[in-house]
Amino acid sequence: ISKHETLFDWYTGSVSGVATEPAVDRGRPPFLRYAWKPVAYIILHGLFALEGYCAAALCYQYEAVNLAWLAATFLGTVKCSYHFYRASADSSYKPGNKLASG
C-alpha cells in the first residue's frame, strides 16, 4: 500500500497533468512544492463549506431559494455521477477538471 498514491495525490496529479505516468515512476515531489496543495485544498474546502452554511440558512427563509438550491444540488449530483460512471465503464472517456485545468 505504501507504494500507491493517496486519493488526494491522484486528484492533484490528474489536475496538474502528472497522473499519466504510474505513481512509482514519477517519484515524490519536493515537500515545499507539494505542501501548498493540501493547505490550499483545506482552505478552499472551508470557504465552500461556509458558503454552503450561508446558502442553507437562506434556503430555510425563502421557499423559492430552497427549491432552487435543491434543484442545483440534485442536478450537480446527477452530472458528477454521470461523469464518474461513464469514466468507470469507458476507459477512453476523460471528463477532466475544466475548472482547474483551464
Side-chain angles (χ1 to χ4, degrees):
I1 291 177
S2 67
K3 294 183 181 171
H4 295 288
E5 54 190 354
T6 64
L7 182 61
F8 184 79
D9 294 333
W10 169 80
Y11 179 73
T12 55
S14 68
V15 169
S16 63
V18 195
T20 55
E21 309 165 11
V24 178
D25 296 343
R26 283 200 309 262
R28 298 192 187 278
F31 178 75
L32 292 177
R33 200 178 99 209
Y34 173 81
W36 70 271
K37 290 179 181 180
V39 172
Y41 181 82
I42 291 168
I43 290 171
L44 280 174
H45 184 80
L47 289 174
F48 289 142
L50 183 62
E51 178 195 12
Y53 289 136
C54 293
L58 288 174
C59 283
Y60 291 114
Q61 291 183 359
Y62 305 103
E63 182 181 5
V65 176
N66 189 3
L67 294 175
W69 180 258
L70 287 172
T73 304
F74 177 74
L75 292 174
T77 303
V78 168
K79 176 185 166 259
C80 289
S81 300
Y82 168 78
H83 288 301
F84 173 79
Y85 287 112
R86 181 164 176 204
S88 297
D90 181 11
S91 60
S92 65
Y93 178 71
K94 304 269 189 249
N97 189 334
K98 294 171 183 57
L99 180 64
S101 62

